[in-house]
Amino acid sequence: MIRVAGLTKHYRTPKKAPGLLGSIKSLVRREYETVKAVEDVSFTIAPGERVGFLGPNGAGKTTTLKMLSGLLVPTAGEVEVLGHRPSDRLPGYLSRITLVMGQKQQLLWDLPARETFELNRALFGVARDEARRTVDELTELLELKALLDRPVRNLSLGERMKCELVAALLHRPEVLFLDEPTIGLDVRMQVVVRRFVEEWNRRTGATILLTSHYMADIAALCPRVIVISAGRLRFDGPLQDLVRRHGTDRRVVVAPVREPTPEELALADRFQRTDDGKLVATVPAADVKAAVDQALRALPIQDLAVEEPPLEDVIARLFAEQEPAA
Amino acid sequence: MSATAVLRAVVAELRVAGMLAMRYRASFLAETVMSFGWVAWTVIPLLVVYEYRADVQGWTRDQALLVVGLFITLEGLLGALVEPNLRAVVEQVRDGTFDYTLLKPIDTQLLVSIHRIQPTELPHALSGLVVVGVAASRLDPLPGLGDVAAAALLLVAGLMLLHGLWTIVVATSFWFVRVDNLSVLLRSLLDAGRWPVGYYRGIVRFVLTWIVPVGLITTFPAMALRGQLQPQLLLATCGVSLGFSLLARAVWRFALRHYTSASS
């Protein structure tokens, strides 16, 4: 379905010393530097998979998605999606994929969203009644029936994103590249988009490759994650493996019945107070028993829980471990 | 890409263009009326000149009016088809939404050429044709069917030339991003095509005919209507415009491979 081997993309960008003087210098003699946006990345994705693409800003996630969708020509390496080489941008390929970019919109700003759908219908050569069925299905799933006849500029950010999804899925693509589809949305709207993507994958069996800043998106949607940072692939596998391998710490969380005395706190030296009045010890898995014992002995416990660390922490640690190698 | 796919795309884009143009009723009317104002502005100086002389460099008033009419037609077509699209593509490249254009399963060069049509400029083009018609009907002898066909062919060849020139300008925007100034330059150069190239002398005439083919676009069809264009010149013009279109396409394809896309 998707096969990527040794994928590499280098950009050459002008380098400029700071300030006006630097600008003048760069006008006269321009120096270039090569930015290695993506470096020797390989993976394969099977039909119907939902894969999360994780990495810090500038890691090369978007560049990879752009190469997969045919917008950029790779510097080196091979890409094959649905049996096509994406950069050929053949109509037979483009009509089977879609790319949604959370930060760029294709809706016609001054017209109702319905008109963008009609335009895309014509450009993708979808039959009228088929398009109507798809739009009906999508608008029902996304609960936006009432919004289709309002000019796009009068819609909220979340409503616009829903309409973007309809415009992008009208031709029922087999592969969905979603680049930060939830960016800037409030929590409730993030959940709506997330549920929608999952449901659409279930209904159509489409393959989904998703990048997001929000770990909750990835955790909820993607059984498999690919982590890249500084253009290189760092991890590829099930989300649990990532957490297990890099998140061996546990959090022991105590909710006290009353404010602990200084003496009690001194005895429970593994614990630290958090802003919401709880006491938390972050310890290696092997030390969980010791931490719990200490809490039971020293603290006025109302509730006690042992948690896995948040995904954010795991990822942050993964990047911190590997950054020097980059 | 089949012919029906192309036709479907053109119709859909025209539909959107129409809706966008008519969204503000007052401005739609104002723009249409304005375009008639520009026609008068172009024709009057010529009439004034010919009040005093019957002939300028071998062109009578009605013959020169042919050139002016063709110029107005060209101006209208440029304003309707070429300039709004140029502005739109450059804007898209700058803000990155050009990505969505590239993702459509329609030839990108075609798509950007029809993406932002300005229908309010079409009456302008139409009134240019009316001026040509009036001028032609006063010629003696009247142009034959063959002359009219040759003129029409030349007009199409001229438009192809302009479209090619325009394509190359857009292609450079992948590297330089800001090219709207080039469209102003293009427009100023075209302004020279307002008068028969015969009005100009020596090097200027040569440049306007063969280097920046402005004269060719308006003067040659007028000469055809006068029955004065040699067949070799007709063939040469069609050949040049076809060759240039192919060159423009090659430049365009080369540019697309080097498109870097605005990062998000």
Side-chain angles (χ1 to χ4, degrees):
Chain A
M1 167 70 55
I2 297 180
R3 199 176 57 78
V4 173
L7 187 64
T8 300
K9 179 73 187 178
H10 293 175
Y11 291 108
R12 220 166 66 104
T13 57
K15 200 166 86 177
K16 187 185 91 65
L20 181 62
L21 200 66
S23 293
I24 294 170
K25 266 189 198 150
S26 113
L27 207 57
V28 180
R29 218 191 67 198
R30 186 154 289 198
E31 284 177 23
Y32 289 91
E33 66 182 342
T34 303
V35 177
K36 296 177 178 177
V38 175
E39 189 75 21
D40 194 22
V41 167
S42 305
F43 56 82
T44 56
I45 294 175
E49 264 197 280
R50 297 190 305 267
V51 178
F53 227 31
L54 281 174
N57 286 331
K61 303 182 299 266
T62 301
T63 304
T64 305
L65 283 196
K66 281 179 177 169
M67 286 193 281
L68 286 173
S69 53
L71 291 177
L72 297 179
V73 183
T75 308
E78 281 172 44
V79 187
E80 193 192 300
V81 184
L82 295 166
H84 285 271
R85 190 169 63 188
S87 58
D88 293 343
R89 294 200 308 109
L90 296 177
Y93 176 65
L94 296 175
S95 54
R96 293 170 69 189
I97 64 150
T98 200
L99 169 66
V100 176
M101 292 171 278
Q103 286 169 328
K104 295 176 186 174
Q105 72 160 33
Q106 64 167 324
L107 296 171
L108 294 159
W109 188 246
D110 289 309
L111 295 175
R114 208 183 271 289
E115 303 301 345
T116 306
F117 304 161
E118 171 56 23
L119 180 62
N120 279 3
R121 183 200 69 75
L123 295 181
F124 280 93
V126 181
R128 262 174 221 286
D129 46 341
E130 201 186 317
R132 195 175 315 122
R133 271 200 302 276
T134 305
V135 170
D136 283 349
E137 188 181 355
L138 287 165
T139 46
E140 198 198 305
L141 272 174
L142 288 162
E143 298 163 19
L144 46 65
K145 195 117 215 159
L147 305 173
L148 296 189
D149 297 306
R150 250 191 253 167
V152 169
R153 64 171 184 287
N154 294 348
L155 300 179
S156 75
L157 184 65
E159 291 165 346
R160 281 211 301 275
M161 192 60 227
K162 287 177 171 183
C163 291
E164 287 286 343
L165 284 168
V166 179
L169 297 175
L170 191 75
H171 58 291
R172 302 186 88 92
E174 295 158 58
V175 180
L176 277 55
F177 300 114
L178 308 177
D179 189 21
E180 306 273 2
T182 53
I183 199 155
L185 303 184
D186 64 36
V187 176
R188 197 182 60 82
M189 202 58 94
Q190 283 176 31
V191 173
V192 171
V193 170
R194 209 177 285 154
R195 288 221 181 103
F196 167 76
V197 171
E198 189 166 17
E199 176 62 19
W200 192 251
N201 165 261
R202 203 182 57 74
R203 284 193 189 191
T204 64
T207 309
I208 293 171
L209 193 53
L210 167 112
T211 76
S212 179
H213 263 78
Y214 303 113
M215 298 302 168
D217 282 350
I218 305 281
L221 272 178
C222 305
R224 172 179 167 196
V225 294
I226 291 174
V227 179
I228 67 172
S229 120
R232 288 182 179 277
L233 193 131
R234 308 291 178 180
F235 176 87
D236 179 0
L239 187 57
Q240 300 95 301
D241 282 7
L242 180 70
V243 176
R244 207 172 301 139
R245 190 180 313 171
H246 297 278
T248 48
D249 284 357
R250 293 290 180 274
R251 281 155 47 92
V252 179
V253 183
V254 170
V257 271
R258 54 168 170 77
E259 190 68 10
T261 61
E263 294 78 45
E264 285 170 340
L265 282 177
L267 277 172
D269 59 350
R270 288 172 183 270
F271 287 82
Q272 283 178 350
R273 286 226 282 188
T274 59
D275 294 339
D276 54 359
K278 287 186 175 157
L279 295 142
V280 176
T282 304
V283 296
D287 292 351
V288 168
K289 187 176 177 300
V292 172
D293 282 347
Q294 191 179 60
L296 291 172
R297 245 184 295 115
L299 295 171
I301 294 175
Q302 183 184 47
D303 187 22
L304 182 147
V306 180
E307 297 172 350
E308 290 196 340
L311 194 51
E312 274 88 348
D313 292 358
V314 176
I315 303 291
R317 175 177 301 191
L318 183 65
F319 293 142
E321 277 169 12
Q322 297 189 330
E323 219 57 47
Chain B
M1 204 174 40
S2 67
T4 44
V6 171
L7 192 68
R8 212 170 33 219
V10 171
V11 170
E13 292 283 4
L14 275 175
R15 191 172 160 272
V16 168
M19 284 188 292
L20 283 173
M22 285 182 284
R23 143 187 63 124
Y24 303 115
R25 204 164 39 164
S27 98
F28 179 74
L29 286 177
E31 280 170 41
T32 311
V33 171
M34 279 274 285
S35 83
F36 288 118
W38 281 110
V39 173
W41 182 252
T42 314
V43 172
I44 287 168
L46 189 83
L47 299 181
V48 169
V49 168
Y50 280 97
E51 278 294 300
Y52 300 97
R53 310 178 52 162
D55 180 292
V56 180
Q57 296 284 331
W59 291 77
T60 67
R61 186 186 69 183
D62 293 327
Q63 290 166 346
L65 207 54
L66 283 177
V67 175
V68 171
L70 285 162
F71 174 74
I72 295 170
T73 308
L74 192 74
E75 227 181 14
L77 291 176
L78 213 61
L81 307 174
V82 177
E83 284 178 350
N85 280 310
L86 175 74
R87 273 197 301 275
V89 183
V90 172
E91 183 58 28
Q92 283 186 1
V93 169
R94 204 183 55 72
D95 70 16
T97 48
F98 186 61
D99 290 353
Y100 286 121
T101 307
L102 284 171
L103 287 167
K104 300 289 184 285
I106 299 281
D107 182 79
T108 311
Q109 194 187 3
L110 171 74
L111 202 55
V112 298
S113 307
I114 58 175
H115 195 51
R116 281 287 173 277
I117 295 164
Q118 187 64 37
T120 51
E121 288 288 322
L122 287 174
H124 190 84
L126 220 55
S127 47
L129 285 179
V130 170
V131 172
V132 174
V134 169
S137 72
R138 296 165 65 102
L139 289 181
D140 184 29
L142 280 177
L145 212 58
D147 299 330
V148 174
L153 190 63
L154 283 165
L155 198 63
V156 171
L159 274 176
M160 273 170 66
L161 255 178
L162 279 182
H163 183 259
L165 204 62
W166 166 85
T167 299
I168 291 174
V169 166
V170 172
T172 60
S173 79
F174 297 165
W175 288 283
F176 304 124
V177 183
R178 289 294 306 256
V179 293
D180 6 8
N181 300 335
L182 277 174
S183 100
V184 177
L185 182 70
L186 204 63
R187 193 65 187 245
S188 319
L189 283 172
L190 280 181
D191 235 26
R194 190 184 286 265
W195 317 119
V197 271
Y199 284 14
Y200 305 96
R201 284 158 196 268
I203 186 92
V204 178
R205 183 193 298 191
F206 180 81
V207 167
L208 287 182
T209 311
W210 296 112
I211 310 294
V212 197
V214 176
L216 181 154
I217 293 165
T218 53
T219 302
F220 281 20
M223 282 165 70
L225 286 174
R226 289 170 64 184
Q228 285 183 344
L229 193 81
Q230 300 98 317
Q232 307 92 287
L233 223 46
L234 176 67
L235 277 177
T237 308
C238 292
V240 165
S241 93
L242 195 65
F244 197 68
S245 292
L246 291 175
L247 172 75
R249 176 129 188 111
V251 170
W252 174 259
R253 296 181 75 101
F254 175 80
L256 274 192
R257 292 200 77 78
H258 292 82
Y259 171 66
T260 51
S261 172
S263 56
S264 57

